[in-house]
Amino acid sequence: MSWHPGRTRVFPEESDPWTRQRTRPLDSRSAVVFFREVRRFLLEGGRTYWIAGEGGIAPDPLLLVSSREQSPEHWRELLGRVRIRRGFTKDQLRSILGDLSSRIASETVPCLLLFSGFEPSENLSPGDSKRLHQEIRRLFGETDPERCRLFLLQAADPRFIADTADGDGGVLPEAPAPSSKEGTMGKSVSTFREQVEQEEKSWRPFRKGLSRAEQDVLDRLFETSRLYVHAGGEMSGQTHPFNVLLLSVILDLSRRIEALEEERSRRP
Amino acid sequence: MKPEELPTFFKRTGDPVPSGSEIRGFLFDITEEEEGVGLWIRTPDRRMIFLRDPAFRPSVLMEASGSALRNVSTRLSRMDPFLSRRKERWKDLFTGEEHDMTALVFSRPRAFRDFLACLPSLSRLPVRFFNADIDVSMRYLCQNRIHPLSFVHIEKEGDTVLGIHPDPDRDFPEETLESAEIFLDGNRIVLSDGRDERMFLDTGFSLLRHLADWIRGHNIDVLYSRGGDRRIFPGLLAELSHRFLPDAAPFYGRPFVLSGRWHLDRSTSFFLKESFLSGLIEIARFSFVDFQTLARCTAGGAISSAQIAYALQNGIRIPFAKEKTEGFSSGLEFLQKDRGGMVMVPRAGVYENVTEIDFSSLYPALMVHRNISPETVNCACCPENRVPESPHHLCLKRRGLVPDVLEPILKRRLSLKKECSEPPAGTDHDRAKKRQTALKWILVVCFGYLGYKNARFGNVESHEAVTAWGRASLLAAREILESRNLPVRHAIVDSLWFEGIDSPDPGGNGRLSVVKSAIRERTGIPIEVEGIYSWIVFLPRKGSTLLGSANRYFGRMRDGRTKIRGIAARQWGTPPFIRTIQEDLLERMGLCERASDVRAALPELLEAVRVRLRDLRDRRVPLADLCLSERLHRSPETYQRASPAVVAAQKEGLAFRKRQTGTVSYWISGRGESYPGDRVVPSRGDELPMVDLGDYETLAIDAVLEILGPFCPDPESLRKRLKNADPSKIRSAGKRRSGNLFPSWS
């Protein structure tokens, strides 16, 4: 296993509780680099466990895969290597950590453990957060780094938007804003509509290269695709949103062609 | 006297206990006594009898090893020297297996309260507590299977209860209650019972005594207040405490409840605000919380108490801290399951003969019909009973707790709704409506509670199973409609809009009834017809002409009603002047039976708008009607963008604490001003009110286009026609910073 996260290790505080090295919270730029490293780890056959408490970076699996660099089959395969579990209270998180520890003991492939939402928040008191950190350290602190690596994720700005194009031409999906006024009760994954909108955003460089008239046509194509997002949602987790977007555009065009043909046949 | 005892100043003295070995009446109130509990029974001849049940002992369950058990028992024995232990068998909700448990039985309610106070520190020991933090009165009600306000038959000896038996079929006669209202007039307390009103001018103990005398003299059963919990009584008692008990803890923050009569604070009671006393009494039929606590409960608290009561009565142990979590899911499964209700985006435009149908209480009905409960999702026995398009499955062998609790509530609501639409002779239509509204709230929150982190019987996987079945039901309904050549134009979670039916089907044998029963047969959920629209407009989404917005539409139904959603007139912060313009237009459009009639009436409608705009230009609109309002959820300095509301809040000096929200009202004094502070004038402040008439005209025209635009092939031409109505006036009125020159300013 040649995966080395290097300087992208991200920890909740100024210093890493294990190594006491200075680190920094996750902002849009470091998020892009960090999640690209995680993708690389998955590509090399590793497995990622993401344990999420309430109030931190929401556990969106789409943050860990990119649309451009893999085929749809590959995309599915990578998502299959991700394991996610959410806990909403300190007791739930503690019980999840116990389960995780027994899972890791039986894993045969290298594992990456991501913990988000463990920082003090409206849901976790500083004391509970500290106890959970100690529990993580007790359970996983001694594991062989070649077998299992840990990352505690904390966003510098919890509403960070990682839409800076990465070096490979891929764009990270927009992270759903977790810090609403009432905490993060609700969805973890961005809705299918948001995924399609994100996909549309990722084609901005292509759009820039088109003429004004062509840009209008492209905008209309994307707009028509949104008429079918409810159907696309039914394909969630089965194919990449771009495939649905493409099929929706073809569907709408065929529908319009049929309508035109029907109109023409009715004309004398 | 301790501050806790101050409310007992208003305690009722019960009527003499009648002789004989039994008594019948309604269970009006239940209070914790030094020994056991006290019951306040309201007899059919309106007497209030106080009885005691000293035999009642609260208990908690414990699971621990021998040494830990001994350790905890020793610590608790210091609180209650008469603490006893016994062995009991209780079921686990998730596995259904029976466990041997140790029950600790407290001799007095007060000892149990002391235990609750130190429960957080005890729970750090290697001990698991069950059925721990449940109120004494709730335990008593659950143990005897009686609801507050239910009619009971009590066996007694003297004033001591020997046995209590409910008679659930008798309704509490709310019309026989004597009520009064307490409120503040300036800083003076006023009491009124509708006939007699008295302002109290004295202070301190003298005031307290006079208040108590008045309440006793008028034999008040219900004391309503506005701010009684937060202001009136705490203020009164704080003054007394300060004078006579300087070291006592402040009274603020606790509900002020009375013994033998009710204090209901309209400002802290959700159900009282939404559904009045009738609704509250209806909720009491399903909960096991004493009435005054219930009045202060949220809808979630009420459903949660019903679930706890079900568990206690069925021998299911309730853990002190929720530990059950979802299982590990792969990224693909996570994408598939973490989804909400389905929304089909409409194509924006005007449609005719559109029928709107709803699934009746879709999510609660699905929980009951599909047996969705935390313990039935992903059971070990029935992997074949899959939830559509979801990695979950549901149990077929075991009935869930949540469906069992919800089923009677759903049935009761359906019967009340029927009573509302076809009131039987001699029934109170208004009361039935209030009661069904209260139940509606219970059903609305029960779905959210299924996934709520603090809900005892919640699990996010059951929440996901409900939304998955919701999507499947909506798709099934659409398939049935389209197979009958009824094209669906729009759908949101539990409602569908489709074309093709032009008659309301009064006999119940027509096409609509056939469709309704087909959907019901397929999905198991009853269907209600919201109405048939003569015409309906699905408004376009911002920046698009093709895509409709899911929740912005308006239309006229065949029976003449209009329905509006999401437009400016429906929004809370819209200035009254603009709201009136939209409402007036909609009223006029409501007279048009076809969309073509609206198009034909456009000149007349525009003329009505011109009159309003002329009023604006001639400064005949009161300033109060131009005030915009907005709600801010954070302190103004934390916003990145200086929106008008944020600037107004900053100018006003608003600052909120964490999780606090606030409202800001302001006038627009020039949206084009370069300095943001010159763009708005807050309504609360020292600044002179100033408005920019040009900006308000633009706002008004936008609101008009929102409604009339879809009926016109070129909406921007309407703008020109309204803008250029009187160019000279617009120019003069458009001058910025017009000052407070409004003659009718109020």
Side-chain angles (χ1 to χ4, degrees):
Chain A
M1 190 79 202
S2 61
W3 186 71
H4 294 292
R7 284 171 297 158
T8 60
R9 295 186 73 161
V10 185
F11 294 97
E13 288 142 14
E14 280 285 282
S15 65
D16 166 5
W18 287 281
T19 61
R20 305 283 170 211
Q21 286 169 357
R22 284 180 71 79
T23 54
R24 60 177 184 167
L26 208 59
D27 57 18
S28 6
R29 192 174 292 268
S30 58
V32 171
V33 179
F34 176 73
F35 288 123
R36 195 173 58 203
E37 290 295 322
V38 177
R39 274 203 299 275
R40 201 149 68 79
F41 175 80
L42 289 171
L43 280 169
E44 290 179 14
R47 178 158 292 158
T48 298
Y49 285 89
W50 190 339
I51 309 300
E54 207 179 1
I57 298 171
D60 189 344
L62 293 175
L63 284 171
L64 308 182
V65 291
S66 174
S67 59
R68 270 339 107 58
E69 56 196 357
Q70 294 108 24
S71 65
E73 291 73 32
H74 209 163
W75 184 83
R76 284 172 58 84
E77 196 187 324
L78 289 193
L79 279 175
R81 287 186 202 150
V82 179
R83 296 279 181 276
I84 295 174
R85 196 161 165 190
R86 293 165 295 182
F88 300 101
T89 63
K90 63 176 193 303
D91 300 295
Q92 289 183 334
L93 287 172
R94 197 172 294 131
S95 123
I96 293 174
L97 290 178
D99 285 0
L100 180 66
S101 141
S102 49
R103 275 222 172 198
I104 295 299
S106 60
E107 276 292 357
T108 50
V109 290
C111 296
L112 186 65
L113 313 184
L114 307 181
F115 301 95
S116 63
F118 280 67
E119 60 268 25
S121 64
E122 282 177 16
N123 308 299
L124 272 188
S125 69
D128 289 334
S129 167
K130 195 177 164 191
R131 275 188 281 280
L132 284 169
H133 279 86
Q134 285 167 350
E135 185 77 357
I136 293 174
R137 193 172 181 179
R138 187 180 69 78
L139 291 171
F140 310 105
E142 301 299 319
T143 47
D144 175 9
E146 284 303 310
R147 260 197 69 225
C148 172
R149 281 171 186 269
L150 331 175
F151 289 87
L152 278 156
L153 307 187
Q154 185 189 10
D157 173 4
R159 288 162 298 143
F160 79 93
I161 299 168
D163 65 349
T164 320
D166 63 20
D168 302 336
V171 173
L172 280 172
E174 188 170 318
S179 64
S180 68
K181 61 184 188 299
E182 293 294 337
T184 55
M185 200 172 82
K187 62 180 180 157
S188 304
V189 180
S190 42
T191 62
F192 199 77
R193 193 184 312 275
E194 285 163 346
Q195 290 172 28
V196 169
E197 279 166 12
Q198 201 53 242
E199 196 56 37
E200 184 184 334
K201 240 185 203 175
S202 76
W203 286 92
R204 270 186 305 202
F206 174 74
R207 187 179 178 277
K208 223 183 245 178
L210 299 175
S211 71
R212 190 59 185 266
E214 287 162 344
Q215 281 182 4
D216 288 346
V217 175
L218 183 73
D219 290 346
R220 272 202 299 277
L221 284 183
F222 279 125
E223 201 181 335
T224 51
S225 74
R226 287 194 207 152
L227 282 169
Y228 307 96
V229 282
H230 61 274
E234 294 297 292
M235 288 293 288
S236 269
Q238 295 177 48
T239 185
H240 191 272
F242 183 70
N243 296 339
V244 177
L245 197 149
L246 216 54
L247 201 62
S248 302
V249 169
I250 297 170
L251 179 73
D252 199 69
L253 287 176
S254 317
R255 215 177 117 147
R256 283 159 67 179
I257 292 168
E258 272 178 24
L260 285 172
E261 279 174 350
E262 205 179 304
E263 201 182 312
R264 200 179 62 176
S265 65
R266 262 194 262 127
R267 271 191 212 148
Chain B
M1 189 164 70
K2 290 183 180 174
E4 289 87 358
E5 290 165 7
L6 286 170
T8 57
F9 212 86
F10 295 91
K11 188 172 179 176
R12 196 172 195 151
T13 317
D15 291 318
V17 180
S19 56
S21 63
E22 65 168 51
I23 188 169
R24 285 167 192 271
F26 294 94
L27 179 64
F28 187 81
D29 197 7
I30 175 165
T31 49
E32 267 180 53
E33 300 296 322
E34 192 56 38
E35 294 279 326
V37 294
L39 306 178
W40 294 84
I41 308 296
R42 189 180 161 86
T43 59
D45 56 353
R46 301 188 191 185
R47 281 180 302 145
M48 190 69 79
I49 311 293
F50 178 68
L51 300 172
R52 293 169 200 281
D53 192 346
F56 177 70
R57 308 248 187 282
S59 64
V60 293
L61 300 175
M62 217 167 70
E63 195 177 57
S65 64
S67 61
L69 192 67
R70 275 192 298 279
N71 184 1
V72 173
S73 300
T74 317
R75 282 176 71 170
L76 292 180
S77 302
R78 284 181 214 137
M79 284 177 206
D80 186 358
F82 301 102
L83 182 83
S84 59
R85 290 195 306 194
R86 65 169 178 248
K87 288 279 172 208
E88 288 181 6
R89 281 183 78 75
W90 285 73
K91 265 189 291 187
D92 184 84
L93 175 69
F94 292 98
T95 60
E97 289 167 6
E98 287 207 337
H99 293 258
D100 281 326
M101 311 286 297
T102 307
L104 299 174
V105 186
F106 293 87
S107 64
R108 289 171 300 120
R110 183 165 288 182
F112 174 68
R113 286 234 165 265
D114 293 342
F115 160 77
L116 285 186
C118 66
L119 186 56
S121 63
L122 285 173
S123 56
R124 291 204 191 111
L125 296 172
V127 178
R128 288 177 78 201
F129 286 104
F130 295 87
N131 302 4
D133 52 341
I134 298 164
D135 209 43
V136 171
S137 55
M138 187 175 180
R139 285 164 190 276
Y140 184 82
L141 294 170
C142 289
Q143 187 175 310
N144 293 291
R145 295 179 185 259
I146 41 175
H147 300 281
L149 305 190
S150 55
F151 194 76
V152 288
H153 165 210
I154 294 178
E155 295 160 29
K156 69 174 185 64
E157 190 180 314
D159 69 346
T160 306
V161 176
L162 300 177
I164 181 164
H165 312 284
D167 174 6
D169 292 334
R170 284 187 69 162
D171 243 5
F172 183 79
E174 62 179 283
E175 62 284 351
T176 63
L177 291 171
E178 285 294 333
S179 64
E181 179 102 23
I182 186 167
F183 55 94
L184 285 176
D185 185 352
N187 56 357
R188 298 284 175 206
I189 290 179
V190 181
L191 264 170
S192 163
D193 69 347
R195 300 177 293 273
D196 179 19
E197 189 169 296
R198 183 168 163 190
M199 180 183 274
F200 294 82
L201 300 175
D202 36 10
T203 55
F205 256 123
S206 154
L207 170 62
L208 198 62
R209 197 167 51 243
H210 283 127
L211 279 177
D213 284 347
W214 193 95
I215 290 169
R216 212 172 293 131
H218 286 70
N219 203 20
I220 297 300
D221 298 311
V222 192
L223 185 63
Y224 292 108
S225 72
R226 207 168 282 278
D229 277 346
R230 287 187 189 150
R231 214 173 143 207
I232 302 174
F233 290 108
L236 184 64
L237 298 173
E239 188 196 324
L240 288 173
S241 307
H242 182 66
R243 202 178 295 176
F244 302 104
L245 301 159
D247 300 331
F251 190 82
Y252 289 94
R254 300 181 221 167
F256 184 84
V257 293
L258 302 174
S259 301
R261 46 175 65 98
W262 302 330
H263 165 228
L264 305 179
D265 184 346
R266 293 184 200 275
S267 63
T268 53
S269 175
F270 171 78
F271 285 115
L272 208 57
K273 267 191 273 187
E274 292 293 327
S275 56
F276 307 93
L277 188 63
S278 306
L280 199 52
I281 289 174
E282 183 63 32
I283 299 294
R285 293 168 67 104
F286 297 99
S287 68
F288 290 83
V289 187
D290 76 275
F291 195 73
Q292 291 183 82
T293 310
L294 182 69
R296 287 158 177 85
C297 262
T298 57
I303 189 75
S304 190
S305 78
Q307 291 171 350
I308 288 173
Y310 177 91
L312 285 180
Q313 290 169 357
N314 289 279
I316 298 167
R317 62 184 193 177
I318 304 160
F320 172 58
K322 187 176 150 184
E323 289 173 7
K324 168 84 179 164
T325 57
E326 63 176 346
F328 280 105
S329 337
S330 75
L332 290 168
E333 285 169 346
F334 203 74
L335 287 177
Q336 200 184 20
K337 70 178 193 169
D338 191 49
R339 292 161 58 202
M342 180 176 273
V343 177
M344 295 172 195
V345 181
R347 284 172 191 261
V350 184
Y351 297 83
E352 286 187 317
N353 294 332
V354 170
T355 307
E356 182 184 348
I357 57 169
D358 291 344
F359 284 104
S360 175
S361 307
L362 175 67
Y363 283 171
L366 280 174
M367 290 180 216
V368 173
H369 184 64
R370 303 281 171 195
N371 191 26
I372 304 175
S373 188
E375 74 278 21
T376 57
V377 175
N378 298 337
C379 62
C381 50
C382 313
E384 71 284 358
N385 186 27
R386 308 287 317 169
V387 176
E389 303 300 331
S390 159
H392 304 309
H393 60 266
L394 295 167
C395 190
L396 289 167
K397 294 179 181 159
R398 219 171 121 203
R399 183 75 176 154
L401 176 147
V402 172
D404 262 0
V405 171
L406 287 181
E407 194 165 7
I409 303 179
L410 262 179
K411 280 185 180 160
R412 173 76 179 160
R413 183 171 178 235
L414 277 181
S415 79
L416 283 172
K417 274 181 109 171
K418 202 174 169 193
E419 210 174 287
C420 287
S421 54
E422 305 152 15
T427 55
D428 187 345
H429 170 260
D430 190 41
R431 186 186 295 179
K433 200 174 164 192
K434 287 171 186 166
R435 291 185 166 202
Q436 81 90 10
T437 307
L439 294 184
K440 185 187 94 177
W441 280 112
I442 292 271
L443 297 174
V444 165
V445 301
C446 69
F447 163 67
Y449 243 61
L450 212 52
Y452 176 47
K453 63 179 176 182
N454 288 336
R456 312 269 183 144
F457 303 104
N459 182 5
V460 72
E461 288 170 336
S462 47
H463 190 88
E464 289 162 353
V466 174
T467 55
W469 265 116
R471 292 190 297 272
S473 305
L474 195 76
L475 283 177
R478 192 177 81 159
E479 197 186 313
I480 289 169
L481 288 168
E482 291 187 338
S483 67
R484 284 167 171 76
N485 206 17
L486 301 169
V488 174
R489 294 299 172 209
H490 182 29
I492 316 176
V493 186
D494 63 345
S495 311
L496 292 120
W497 286 257
F498 59 92
E499 285 180 321
I501 287 183
D502 44 17
S503 75
D505 184 18
N509 302 317
R511 212 170 160 201
L512 193 52
S513 301
V514 173
V515 168
K516 270 170 66 181
S517 37
I519 297 175
R520 183 178 184 154
E521 203 175 306
R522 173 97 168 261
T523 61
I525 315 290
I527 293 288
E528 287 168 12
V529 179
E530 179 72 18
I532 301 177
Y533 293 88
S534 314
W535 50 263
I536 185 169
V537 178
F538 292 118
L539 290 168
R541 197 183 284 193
K542 211 173 178 182
S544 170
T545 49
L546 171 75
L547 290 175
S549 171
N551 48 13
R552 286 175 61 233
Y553 59 90
F554 61 92
R556 181 220 185 245
M557 292 191 190
R558 288 194 168 268
D559 55 10
R561 283 181 295 150
T562 49
K563 183 171 176 181
I564 59 171
R565 289 290 179 272
I567 62 171
R570 179 106 170 153
Q571 285 161 18
W572 165 80
T574 304
F577 168 68
I578 289 170
R579 178 177 299 132
T580 317
I581 291 181
Q582 278 203 339
E583 283 171 353
D584 181 38
L585 278 179
L586 284 165
E587 201 180 317
R588 288 164 190 267
M589 288 160 78
L591 302 174
C592 306
E593 286 187 10
R594 285 188 297 270
S596 55
D597 295 346
V598 180
R599 287 187 193 104
L602 273 178
E604 189 196 320
L605 296 169
L606 289 177
E607 188 49 40
V609 175
R610 276 193 205 105
V611 172
R612 299 271 180 184
L613 291 179
R614 211 171 297 140
D615 283 348
L616 178 73
R617 289 174 207 132
D618 293 346
R619 301 168 186 193
R620 284 201 293 265
V621 181
L623 269 182
D625 285 359
L626 297 176
C627 203
L628 286 99
S629 305
E630 222 166 288
R631 195 169 279 132
L632 295 181
H633 297 289
R634 287 183 277 140
S635 210
E637 70 277 4
T638 59
Y639 285 85
Q640 287 182 352
R641 203 177 75 83
S643 71
V646 169
V647 174
Q650 281 174 341
K651 284 179 87 177
E652 202 181 305
L654 270 186
F656 311 139
R657 288 194 303 273
K658 208 174 179 185
R659 295 182 74 111
Q660 200 182 5
T661 61
T663 56
V664 60
S665 307
Y666 59 93
W667 291 284
I668 297 172
S669 55
R671 287 200 284 199
E673 294 289 340
S674 54
Y675 175 59
D678 288 342
R679 292 174 196 160
V680 291
V681 176
S683 66
R684 291 175 299 220
D686 303 331
E687 214 174 326
L688 280 176
M690 292 184 187
V691 293
D692 187 317
L693 297 182
D695 283 344
Y696 275 99
E697 192 186 61
T698 310
L699 280 181
I701 293 175
D702 286 345
V704 171
L705 290 191
E706 189 177 31
I707 293 198
L708 296 184
F711 292 94
C712 185
D714 181 14
E716 283 308 307
S717 69
L718 292 183
R719 185 185 292 276
K720 279 182 202 150
R721 280 162 74 181
L722 289 168
K723 269 265 180 197
N724 298 333
D726 193 349
S728 61
K729 288 238 172 179
I730 295 172
R731 265 201 303 280
S732 62
K735 193 179 164 195
R736 296 222 163 86
R737 307 181 72 74
S738 317
N740 56 340
L741 302 173
F742 289 79
S744 54
W745 177 52
S746 54

